[in-house]
């Protein structure tokens, strides 16, 4: 335990979670939760003024929040208070604003590649810190018989399909050369994970200039505005393609459940459920699914997404795309299964995928043979081979419409 400190925790308008203050309380700190939510995406002068006035009334060792807020940073700078932020997004647009250079900031990012890139920009107190899960909260989750009937599943995925990405919305406005340029990047990087396939730096200044002249773009990343295009147009379009293709391919032979608020008209044989609560229903789904999928956004280059820790915190089994830091933190094929360039479900005995035992262990074993799924994109094809049932899905991402064609 640490010596008692007085800490102010501030919720943002985007993330309303209590795991950080919970952890600080367990460390013996005196934690106060600010009674107002702070806007993350812009610096609101009125919010900054009110927070600054609050910090005048009481002395805190530091102020802390999920993700970085320019408003909090500036208010803390005015009052001479340390501001600690643990970043959950990669990249987080607000870290490219001038306030990120404030000397009172202590910024912790979970993606090592992002850390290395931002360190070169000269941020003073910048650290790499993987994300985590609140195992104390996870241990309080009670799974009832009704939950077992409702949430048990062979394979599940909780997350968005990113159908409303900027590529789908704007691609018809761009010239054919810009469209071909973006499509080439998308096809070269879809289903490929790792530093070697990083999309950052793929959009040239010339292409960015041509896109800027075509329509109004919001450029929160003033130091590297090309990142805006790479995240909003390329990363999210790739996510749409990967998630739809992987879910459809797995659903050909398995009981696949998706929990999402996204439009799902391109899904086939996938059982679609509405969104679920993060701290109520999601842990039960993670616990009761024999396999939980993690399909990482390509804007997360090496880091481990929050989803992985949340699944493991309740004893769930994770199958993920390859991430460099996964191999550093977990034993491959023992604590987690991850693949690079393709996703495979082979020689998996679903009946032997044990749920958490009383000792907290998760078991996987058996020799039952199930289908093999392999996704390849060298030519833009997604090939899915099944036991006595080979199938080809032709993927078309160059259409002017927002549809993905699968034949």
């Amino acid at each position: 335990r640490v010596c008692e400190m007085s800490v102010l925790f501030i919720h943002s308008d985007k993330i309303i979670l209590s795991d950080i203050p919970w952890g600080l309380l367990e460390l013996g700190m005196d934690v106060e939760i600010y009674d107002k939510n702070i806007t993350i995406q812009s610096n609101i002068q009125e919010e900054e003024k009110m927070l600054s006035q609050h910090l005048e009334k009481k002395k805190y060792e530091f102020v802390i929040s999920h993700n970085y807020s320019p408003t909090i940073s500036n208010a803390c700078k005015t009052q001479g208070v340390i501001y600690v932020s643990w970043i959950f997004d990669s990249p987080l647009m607000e870290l490219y604003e001038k306030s990120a250079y404030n000397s009172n900031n202590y910024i912790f990012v979970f993606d090592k590649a992002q850390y290395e890139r931002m360190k070169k920009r000269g941020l003073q107190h910048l650290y790499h810190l993987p994300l985590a899960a609140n195992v104390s909260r996870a241990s309080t989750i009670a799974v009832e018989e009704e939950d077992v009937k409702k949430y048990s599943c062979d394979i599940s995925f909780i997350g968005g399909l990113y159908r409303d990405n900027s590529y789908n919305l704007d691609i018809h406005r761009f010239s054919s050369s810009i469209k071909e340029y973006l499509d080439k990047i998308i096809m070269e990087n879809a289903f490929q994970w790792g530093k070697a396939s990083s999309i950052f730096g793929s959009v040239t200044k010339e292409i960015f200039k041509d896109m800027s002249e075509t329509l109004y773009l919001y450029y929160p990343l003033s130091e590297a505005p090309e990142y805006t295009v790479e995240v909003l147009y390329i990363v999210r379009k790739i996510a749409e393609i990967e998630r739809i293709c992987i879910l459809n391919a797995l659903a050909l032979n398995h009981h696949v459940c998706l929990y999402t608020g996204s439009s799902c008209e391109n899904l086939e044989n996938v059982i679609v459920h509405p969104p679920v609560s993060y701290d109520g229903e999601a842990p039960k789904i993670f616990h009761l699914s024999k396999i939980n999928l993690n399909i990482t956004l390509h804007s997360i280059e090496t880091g481990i997404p929050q989803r992985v820790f949340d699944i493991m915190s309740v004893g769930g089994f994770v199958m993920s795309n390859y991430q460099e830091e996964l191999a550093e933190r977990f034993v491959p094929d023992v604590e987690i299964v991850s693949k690079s360039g393709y996703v495979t479900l082979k020689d998996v005995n679903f009946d032997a995928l044990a749920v958490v035992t009383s000792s907290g262990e998760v078991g996987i074993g058996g020799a039952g043979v199930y289908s093999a799924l392999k996704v390849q994109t060298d030519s833009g094809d997604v090939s899915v081979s099944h036991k006595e049932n080979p199938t080809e899905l032709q993927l078309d991402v160059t259409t002017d419409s927002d549809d993905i064609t699968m034949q």
Side-chain angles (χ1 to χ4, degrees):
R1 298 176 69 85
V2 300
C3 59
E4 186 170 312
M5 296 182 179
S6 182
V7 178
L8 180 66
F9 175 79
I10 301 179
H11 284 296
S12 76
D13 60 331
K14 299 294 183 182
I15 304 176
I16 309 297
L17 300 174
S18 299
D19 291 337
I20 286 180
W22 187 319
L24 296 177
L25 285 169
E26 289 184 336
L27 289 172
M29 297 185 185
D30 176 20
V31 182
E32 177 185 334
I33 297 179
Y34 189 54
D35 61 359
K36 299 176 182 62
N37 297 340
I38 295 292
T39 303
I40 286 289
Q41 292 183 324
S42 58
N43 185 24
I44 308 300
Q45 293 297 320
E46 184 61 28
E47 291 182 355
E48 180 182 329
K49 180 180 178 181
M50 292 176 66
L51 176 58
S52 182
Q53 291 173 344
H54 180 86
L55 294 174
E56 278 185 318
K57 299 175 183 177
K58 182 177 178 180
K59 180 176 175 56
Y60 299 97
E61 296 293 334
F62 60 88
V63 174
I64 186 169
S65 70
H66 290 97
N67 276 347
Y68 171 81
S69 165
T71 298
I72 300 176
S73 177
N74 288 334
C76 288
K77 180 183 178 182
T78 299
Q79 298 301 329
V81 180
I82 291 173
Y83 172 41
V84 178
S85 57
W86 196 356
I87 311 305
F88 278 56
D89 295 319
S90 184
L92 182 69
M93 307 293 191
E94 287 66 37
L95 289 179
Y96 290 83
E97 296 194 5
K98 290 181 180 179
S99 65
Y101 292 94
N102 290 344
S103 60
N104 60 303
N105 290 335
Y106 284 74
I107 300 170
F108 297 82
V109 297
F110 75 93
D111 186 284
K112 194 176 294 184
Q114 184 190 28
Y115 164 80
E116 292 170 352
R117 185 180 297 110
M118 295 181 64
K119 194 70 175 176
K120 294 177 182 177
R121 293 175 44 234
L123 273 68
Q124 292 186 45
H125 306 118
L126 179 71
Y127 306 90
H128 170 248
L129 180 67
L131 297 174
N134 185 347
V135 292
S136 296
R137 176 173 58 80
S139 66
T140 66
I141 301 296
V143 178
E144 308 293 341
E145 184 176 345
E146 181 181 344
D147 297 322
V148 175
K149 295 177 182 178
K150 184 176 181 180
Y151 299 124
S152 293
C153 185
D154 281 349
I155 304 170
S156 72
F157 180 70
I158 301 177
L161 299 181
Y162 290 94
R163 290 299 310 276
D164 57 349
N165 60 76
S166 296
Y167 178 102
N168 288 347
L169 296 173
D170 297 331
I171 197 62
H172 64 282
R173 303 184 185 184
F174 299 126
S175 66
S176 59
S177 60
I178 290 179
K179 183 176 180 300
E180 289 171 4
Y181 186 91
L182 295 178
D183 288 349
K184 184 176 185 293
I185 298 173
I186 289 168
M187 293 312 300
E188 287 177 347
N189 289 277
F191 304 99
Q192 302 294 325
W193 288 273
K195 271 187 176 179
S197 61
S198 174
I199 57 91
F200 293 115
S202 60
V203 173
T204 65
K205 293 186 183 298
E206 292 72 24
I207 289 292
F208 178 79
K209 182 175 181 293
D210 289 345
M211 294 179 69
S212 301
E213 293 173 351
T214 302
L215 75 163
Y216 174 77
L217 293 174
Y218 170 55
Y219 312 130
L221 307 185
S222 57
E223 295 184 26
E226 296 86 0
Y227 284 7
T228 306
V229 172
E230 291 163 346
V231 171
L232 299 181
Y233 287 81
I234 297 175
V235 166
R236 296 185 181 184
K237 182 61 180 178
I238 291 176
E240 176 195 9
I241 293 168
E242 290 174 342
R243 294 182 179 193
I244 289 175
C245 288
I246 290 172
L247 291 169
N248 277 347
L250 293 174
L252 289 172
N253 262 27
H254 303 295
H255 178 220
V256 177
C257 294
L258 169 67
Y259 298 84
T260 187
S262 301
S263 170
C264 300
E265 61 265 25
N266 290 113
L267 293 178
E268 297 180 2
N269 301 317
V270 177
I271 302 171
V272 179
H273 300 273
V276 293
S277 60
Y278 176 80
D279 56 357
E281 297 166 288
K284 296 179 181 180
I285 295 167
F286 294 149
H287 180 81
L288 294 168
S289 298
K290 293 178 179 177
I291 291 179
N292 294 277
L293 296 178
N294 174 61
I295 309 171
T296 308
L297 288 173
H298 283 252
S299 55
I300 302 175
E301 297 170 87
T302 63
I304 305 173
Q306 182 65 47
R307 180 188 291 107
V308 172
F309 292 101
D310 290 337
I311 293 169
M312 290 184 169
S313 72
V314 293
F317 176 77
V318 185
M319 176 170 281
S320 173
N321 59 274
Y322 172 80
Q323 291 290 109
E324 183 179 302
E325 293 181 52
L326 277 176
E328 296 174 357
R329 300 286 168 180
F330 303 106
V331 181
D333 297 328
V334 175
E335 296 176 318
I336 191 169
V337 173
S338 64
K339 298 295 177 181
S340 176
Y342 63 92
V343 181
T344 183
L345 276 182
K346 187 175 182 180
D347 298 334
V348 175
N349 184 340
F350 278 78
D351 292 333
L353 281 169
V355 296
V356 181
T357 65
S358 58
S359 62
E361 297 177 344
V362 179
I364 178 170
V369 178
Y370 276 67
S371 64
L373 163 66
K374 188 174 183 181
V375 184
Q376 299 173 318
T377 56
D378 290 342
S379 62
D381 292 334
V382 179
S383 60
V384 186
S385 60
H386 294 268
K387 199 174 359 178
E388 302 178 357
N389 184 23
T391 307
E392 289 291 323
L393 301 181
Q394 180 65 36
L395 176 63
D396 178 13
V397 295
T398 61
T399 175
D400 286 338
S401 71
D402 60 0
D403 292 330
I404 295 178
T405 303
M406 298 181 185
Q407 301 172 343

